[in-house]
Amino acid sequence: MQRIKIKELLKADPNNVIGNDYLVKGWVRTRRESKNISFIALNDGSTINHLQIVVDHDKFNEDFLKKITTGSAIGVKGQIVASPAPKQPIELHSNEIELYGEAPADEYPLQKKGHSLEFLREIAHLRPRTNTFGAIFRIRHHLAYSIHKFFNDKGFYYFHTPIITTSDCEGAGEMFRVTTLDLYNLPLTDHGKIDFSEDFFGKETALTVSGQLEGELGALALGEIYTFGPTFRAENSNTTRHLAEFWMIEPEMAFYDIIDNMNLAEEFIKYLIKYLLENCYEDLEFLNNMYDKELLDRLNHVLDTPFERLTYTDAIEILKNSNQNFEFPIYWGVDLQSEHERYLVEKYFKKPVILTDYPKEIKAFYMKLNDDDKTVKAMDVLVPRVGEIIGGSQREDNYDKLLKRIQENHVPMKDVWWYLETRKFGSAPHSGFGLGFERFMLFVTGMGNIRDVIPFPRTPKNIEF
Ligand code: 4AD
Ligand code: MG
């Protein structure tokens, strides 16, 4: 008999499955005993919903049934019948049960419902088996899929940028080293410096903080590309919004100016939300009911609302006049903190905001300089509860201006000469942005901590799993 997934069974018209025999396999969430009957709630990961298995005690050995405890893995053959229980249309009456793996009740940590998210983080190897993390990781899958679908349908090409690199795209000096040198016996130059010519690549290398610079090379040939890969930042920020290893989606488009870039970002976000509402409704509804009662309303509201667009300079004025007691002071030139971003989005505009034209001093070297010589064509997209989820810009496409910015920012020419060359040969206006995958997951799941939307979070002093 072929196995069927629980999702397929529950999705089917009951009339088409009632009376038929099926084989299901999964993990026991609970087993309740009444007089001569047990009820097993079985989950196989395909859906948030469990299949109710009815076990007639006369058909099975008592000692065998005792081993079917919460967390054990079983396969069940039996007949689907209409269920008298109000919440489910069907149940499975078992004829045969195979026990694949026990989960001794005195040791299995997920006996009861309602464990704290903090506790579950300590058992990241088992937390996918909870309803909450099942829902989150299914949503994560659908989100990744819908990102590829969005770009594919628009004619963008998925361009693979390297993980190991020599250049620090964001210039923040937050890179993780990659080396095969013997750390206990480092080769030194005559000047007493580490001799990286002896290293694997013959150069100093690190994990990438962004695929953008290489993505631009793709865009200036294929037209419209996107990257979707892991990025790494060794910033020591222990916040609910920072990971040391996170995933980023970076579209890069030739012949797009900053307005085209903003339009794409807004369309992209709305597309993804709509896709998730259509394809993961049950999981979203579960999270809405368990963690964030406004989640579904918020997502629907964002779908229906044009994003507010304003300049950094205007935002500073609003913040100055806000009469809020911000922890960090507000003045023109300051890098906005999450408290400022959230005030604008949650209190002032009450919708997502795209901030543009930031002072050049607080943005990366590659952003296109405005005619005022003071601001750059940057754009950050801010959303409720999370703050910044997208950072992007129109790129400086003028050779001389880019060269000047590289020098002003002390970016070593040996690391970016190839980048600069694209402004020498067939340079074209172009733009792009980066969406933080886990920041977006925070937004669409309503979870409060970024550690809870990635299976194995990497944060300072935390890498058990
Ligand atoms: O604003 P960022 O640093 O921009 C870039 O890296 C550009 N190269 C993107 C581009 O234009 N192609 O990062 C982009 C986004 C942020 O808006 C945020 O959502 C996310 O990446 N992000 C992080 N997410 C989790 N943990 C961190 N430590 C993050 N740092 C950035
Ligand atoms: Mg940013």
Side-chain angles (χ1 to χ4, degrees), residues 169-170 209-210 212 233 235 241-243 246 248 250 252 366 388-392 395 432-436 439 450:
C169 171
E170 295 307 306
V209 297
S210 160
Q212 177 196 323
R233 295 196 186 175
E235 54 187 326
R241 287 179 194 78
H242 288 87
L243 290 167
F246 63 99
M248 186 155 49
E250 297 183 272
E252 192 70 36
Y366 52 71
E388 177 193 337
I389 52 165
I390 281 181
R395 316 308 188 188
F433 61 80
L435 170 73
R439 295 262 178 104
I450 201 161

Side-chain angles (χ1 to χ4, degrees), residues 168 211 388 429 464:
D168 182 358
E388 177 193 337
E464 182 71 20

Side-chain angles (χ1 to χ4, degrees), residues 169-170 174 209-213 216 227 231-235 237 239-252 261 363-364 366-367 379-382 386-395 431-440 442 450 458:
C169 171
E170 295 307 306
E174 293 164 341
V209 297
S210 160
Q212 177 196 323
L213 299 188
E216 284 186 46
T227 73
T231 41
F232 307 87
R233 295 196 186 175
E235 54 187 326
S237 354
T239 79
T240 54
R241 287 179 194 78
H242 288 87
L243 290 167
E245 177 181 302
F246 63 99
W247 288 68
M248 186 155 49
I249 300 94
E250 297 183 272
E252 192 70 36
N261 204 23
K363 289 292 182 188
Y366 52 71
M367 297 191 180
M379 56 167 239
D380 277 10
V381 180
L382 318 176
V386 182
E388 177 193 337
I389 52 165
I390 281 181
S393 72
Q394 186 167 337
R395 316 308 188 188
S431 302
F433 61 80
L435 170 73
F437 189 67
E438 286 75 20
R439 295 262 178 104
F440 196 69
L442 279 179
I450 201 161
R458 267 83 182 96

Side-chain angles (χ1 to χ4, degrees), residues 389-404:
I389 52 165
I390 281 181
S393 72
Q394 186 167 337
R395 316 308 188 188
E396 184 55 78
D397 54 330
N398 177 284
Y399 184 94
D400 295 324
K401 286 185 183 169
L402 182 59
L403 179 62
K404 190 156 167 257

